[in-house]
Amino acid sequence: VAGAVSEFDLIARHFTRATPSALLGPGDDCALVAPSPGMELAITTDMLVEGTHFLPDTDPGQLGWKTLAVNLSDLAAMGATPKWVLLAGSLPDGDEAWIGAFADGFFKCAKRYGADVIGGDTTRGPRNLCVTAIGELPAGQALRRDGAKADDDIWVSGQPGLAALGLAHLQGRTALPEALAKRCITALQRPLPRIELGLKLRGLATASIDVSDGLLADLGHILERSGLAATLNEGQFPLIPPGSEPKLAREAQLGGGDDYELCFTTPIAARQQVVMLAAELDLPLWRIGYTVAASAERPAGDILLTDADGKPLPLPKKGFDHFG
Amino acid sequence: VAGAVSEFDLIARHFTRATPSALLGPGDDCALVAPSPGMELAITTDMLVEGTHFLPDTDPGQLGWKTLAVNLSDLAAMGATPKWVLLAGSLPDGDEAWIGAFADGFFKCAKRYGADVIGGDTTRGPRNLCVTAIGELPAGQALRRDGAKADDDIWVSGQPGLAALGLAHLQGRTALPEALAKRCITALQRPLPRIELGLKLRGLATASIDVSDGLLADLGHILERSGLAATLNEGQFPLIPPGSEPKLAREAQLGGGDDYELCFTTPIAARQQVVMLAAELDLPLWRIGYTVAASAERPAGDILLTDADGKPLPLPKKGFDHFG
């Protein structure tokens, strides 16, 4: 009907942009791509639900960025180069201002990391956004969770815990100084997937994961899949941000999700290379501990947290589980 | 926590099965696959929302089948061989009986059509299921919507309209005889993606689409993308099922979605091959009309429906639009 904004119009207007890396972009039954010869594909899908992952009044532009960023973070964790993205969305209405702002944020993130949005689906229903992201990497070079070896160094990038502090601030559970609040809310709403770090870790890291559920929980996944335990030294952790409540900030660092930093393991022999990589990327990389062969006393997945003097510390609760 | 059914347990228990076609299946940040040399990939995503695409009391096993089938139908329309599937789901609770039955239906469909379920995501929220399906096809052989030529034959497979009749019956808008009701409800709840047909149409069809929004609406997409009009002859359509209300059945045939038959175009010279293909596949293929070069009187997308004598007939309303 002339004048009506139909589903197809909405999609075409806001989500159809040039897709130079694809043979065929949005508008057909499928998108078509030609994978590069000799490359493997890393593929991931993530669903973000209003009320579970974001609040109804979340800024749509920031939500657009984050919706894609959390998927690209999974590609970063594998060491893959982002290539193609599909977006399916359920929306309660055809609110074009919201859709336009969301699309802007989504495409800003796609452009920043070099991904083409090649297809999607739009339907009516409770707000829900589902992205599938596809990246390429040279055969055999993927950074899997199951490759860590005993006595590897354990590293984490950036400043994990800021996003959880930002959420606590927004929810009134803590009061951060203004500059720190701004930094933490940016970490929460506009996470930066560590794509460049992931690419540089190919051939260097033995295992890698992105910190989406919390550092201890996600490190636990590496340990379980690799059949190892770990000892962490709190004295080697990133410093707690000045102005935050120390206990809350430490819990956020160990258990807070949503930062999308990378946690990875490397052989001791690679330690100097990782230090140089941090300088090259201008990104802090913290050597927070080491892996330990599993044993009867310390089964696979076990994490021992110690203070700077090696004295055991209690573990805070683990990451967020939607059905826990 | 021991004894608790966590998100990760639920996924692992029901959605992790062998993935022989992948290098790495569920359980890491990404799945890993190695595309076959020289093949292109066809990629599609579809979201099914409770209340919009299915009712809350829908049988979970049938819903599992259909959730995958509607995605594989998009691969069929491109002429692609199903390879890899990802499933993201938002669920209101951790109801294991529901999840188990859904997984059974989903994997039955995956097995029937040779696809491996290589990854996914599970979260809490209003029930919503999002599938991404990836298929392979030889370079340059995809059946796109934009390839139809003037004076091509227009075909549709099977018996479009049964699913819409089944829905009308379930909603009490019509009363079908028992055997027909059963057939129509099966068409609605357990659609068969026309994968084998799509593969055989490679090199034969000039354009193809799956009928998800309704025959006229979906044919319209081919016509718009190919810059053509079309003339359809009701006398060449599939017969209305005996026992149905003729007017409703005809509307269902022209405008009802959810059958997932294929509508495709072929050069006149290929007519005999298509007839032989119908026999080979034991699947009716109906030559319902022909394409016409667009003109001032008949712009691209225009569809003229005539009776068997060539007399124009009014068009019923077009397909379903979630934001119309």
Side-chain angles (χ1 to χ4, degrees), chain B residues 219-240:
Chain B
L219 172 60
H221 294 314
I222 286 183
L223 297 174
E224 279 153 24
R225 301 271 292 193
S226 299
L228 297 170
T231 298
L232 304 183
N233 181 340
E234 206 183 46
Q236 292 168 218
F237 271 67
L239 294 179
I240 296 302

Side-chain angles (χ1 to χ4, degrees), chain A residues 157-248:
Chain A
S157 65
Q159 183 79 33
L162 293 189
L165 280 182
L167 184 63
H169 179 83
L170 287 177
Q171 293 179 334
R173 291 187 283 112
T174 192
L176 302 174
E178 194 177 332
L180 179 59
K182 195 176 165 196
R183 187 173 164 216
C184 291
I185 293 168
T186 298
L188 176 70
Q189 296 181 332
R190 203 182 158 84
L192 300 175
R194 299 301 187 190
I195 295 291
E196 292 84 0
L197 174 59
L199 298 182
K200 294 286 185 179
L201 289 177
R202 286 182 193 161
L204 190 61
T206 51
S208 163
I209 192 169
D210 71 324
V211 180
S212 55
D213 294 326
L215 179 54
L216 293 182
D218 288 312
L219 172 59
H221 295 313
I222 287 183
L223 298 174
E224 279 153 24
R225 301 270 293 192
S226 299
L228 297 169
T231 299
L232 303 182
N233 181 341
E234 208 184 44
Q236 293 168 216
F237 271 67
L239 294 179
I240 296 303
S244 62
E245 295 174 53
K247 183 165 174 292
L248 183 71

Side-chain angles (χ1 to χ4, degrees), chain B residues 162-186:
Chain B
L162 294 189
L165 280 182
L167 183 64
H169 179 84
L170 287 178
Q171 293 178 333
R173 290 186 284 112
T174 192
L176 301 174
E178 195 177 332
L180 178 60
K182 196 176 163 193
R183 186 174 164 216
C184 291
I185 292 167
T186 298

Side-chain angles (χ1 to χ4, degrees), chain A residues 128-158:
Chain A
N128 181 314
L129 302 154
C130 185
V131 169
T132 300
I134 304 177
E136 285 190 332
L137 43 82
Q141 292 196 24
L143 308 174
R144 301 162 56 138
R145 296 180 181 178
D146 60 4
K149 304 279 178 285
D151 304 317
D152 276 354
D153 286 335
I154 299 171
W155 304 80
V156 69
S157 65

